[in-house]
Amino acid sequence: MDNYIEYWEQALTILEAQHKIGALMITIYVKPAIPIGMTGDTFTIMVEQNFLKEIIERKYSESIEEALTFVNRGNPMTLNIITKDEQAHMDSVKKETKPAAPPVEKNINFRMPNGLMPRYTFDNFIVGTNNQMAHAAAISVSQNPGTSYNPLFLYGGVGLGKTHLMHAIGNEVYKRNPNAKILYVSCETFTNEVILAIQKHENEQFRQKYRELDLLLLDDIQFISDKRATQEEFFFTFNDLWQNGRQIVITSDRHPSAIQNLTDRLMSRLAGGLPIDIGYPNLETSVAILRNKAETQGIRIDDDVLQYIAESVKSNIREMEGALTTVIAYSKLTSGPSSPITLDIALNALKNTINSFKPEMNVEYIQSVVANYYNFTVEDLCSKKKTKDLALARQVAMYFSRKLLNNETLVAIGKKFGGKDHSTVMHAIELVGKKMEQNPEFEVQITDIEKLITGK
């Protein structure tokens, strides 16, 4: 593997799969770094500012070096970090001509100045029952920004495609109107900018930057749940954009009503748009996602390998793709780049890490699995709607919440289903038990759902 950009891409995927660095920290601090080159056992990356260099050196360099070492067939690698200013200085000092590096746009993690990542498009987004509504709404917003579904609020667990859809919206709007003022920003970055503006008395400059946008894409808004000053600033920014017909797209790991410590007026604004839940993909969708990723890389891989990965990694799409990349890297190192990837190779590649992909077992996860199985949303399960099919799905989710979570009381479970009381939960458990005794087909159905939840 001679291309240092490919080294960096695979190292990033390994970092995401290993969980040694939080996904948010990887997004904020590691992914924006640009690979500059590799000389011997030294790998060099460039960051925009010195404080980013210090953070990576202090907190994340060891984990990054471990990932690079794995990609480098176990040969130890050392990470060298330089700033943009340091690189410019070195270029001015050196007189010799250096071979041109591959354009940064070839980097899979390249970001445009507006924060958009061009690799995320609607064309490479795999649509399944878990995200069909979110995909359709995202396309509608990209074609008519500011006129429908404003704000569009996408919520769901980590790695289920929220950020992909957000960037796809931005990229489609940009393609249709290159002059549109678009900004993708994480909520943590937004918060840091608010703090900096207050410290430097630059509130007006900050407001001007955000309130002149045509499209604001704000990721992980739950981050501001307990930050009153940031909420105030975002509320006025939101109002200004919304009143002027500018599009707002927001993501979160939960429904707006479930975000704690939000001001009432901000909660009202967030819930006033279109909140859409993105659930966990079913097996067929997961396999399709993996097959698409392999095909885009020109990789030959057996279907049973894709099935094994999809069945083993149910926590989120990002980790599932990370497992695939680990298998591909392992195959290249052990069998060569042109050899087909078999199930035996996948089993060996993931034997020490497959358990780390299991999702956290909690009520929210059980709700997601059951809702997806019955083609509902978690919001439906927690609502007051009482259609026959929805009532059954809700009862099944309550049944498993009690059966699989010994530390959850009936009262606690009821609260997580929209404030139901403990007697409702107990009634649901009894009904599911009786229905299993009376209906063998339903008992098989319950067994299948339990397998999906537990991964066994």
Side-chain angles (χ1 to χ4, degrees), residues 36 119 454:
I36 297 299
R119 68 175 172 129
T454 62

Side-chain angles (χ1 to χ4, degrees), residues 6-151:
E6 187 177 353
Y7 263 73
W8 183 242
E9 292 169 0
Q10 293 199 13
L12 286 173
T13 306
I14 290 170
L15 285 172
E16 291 177 329
Q18 288 178 335
H19 304 292
K20 290 185 178 181
I21 304 176
L24 184 59
M25 298 301 101
I26 290 176
T27 300
I28 294 173
Y29 296 116
V30 183
K31 284 189 175 182
I34 299 172
I36 297 299
M38 184 172 67
T39 305
D41 62 355
T42 301
F43 194 98
T44 303
I45 61 174
M46 182 180 72
V47 296
E48 287 285 335
Q49 296 166 313
N50 192 59
F51 84 92
L52 291 173
K53 174 180 176 179
E54 293 175 353
I55 290 174
I56 295 174
E57 284 180 337
R58 187 173 69 254
K59 293 185 175 182
Y60 310 124
S61 60
E62 183 177 347
S63 295
I64 295 172
E65 287 176 349
E66 288 178 0
L68 288 168
T69 296
F70 179 86
V71 178
N72 197 34
R73 305 189 181 192
N75 298 312
M77 295 292 292
T78 301
L79 183 67
N80 178 43
I81 309 170
I82 62 173
T83 66
K84 192 173 184 180
D85 290 340
E86 289 171 339
Q87 176 68 16
H89 177 70
M90 287 189 291
D91 289 343
S92 66
V93 171
K94 292 181 179 179
K95 300 297 182 182
E96 68 272 16
T97 303
K98 298 172 63 178
V104 72
E105 289 82 357
K106 297 297 183 181
N107 185 347
I108 195 172
N109 295 303
F110 169 70
R111 286 181 184 269
M112 295 191 292
N114 58 15
L116 291 177
M117 300 180 75
R119 68 175 172 129
Y120 289 127
T121 66
F122 290 121
D123 290 338
N124 58 26
F125 185 83
I126 303 299
V127 181
T129 56
N130 63 306
N131 57 29
Q132 191 172 19
M133 183 176 178
H135 176 260
I139 289 180
S140 176
V141 164
S142 70
Q143 293 173 345
N144 300 286
T147 61
S148 62
Y149 312 138
N150 198 16

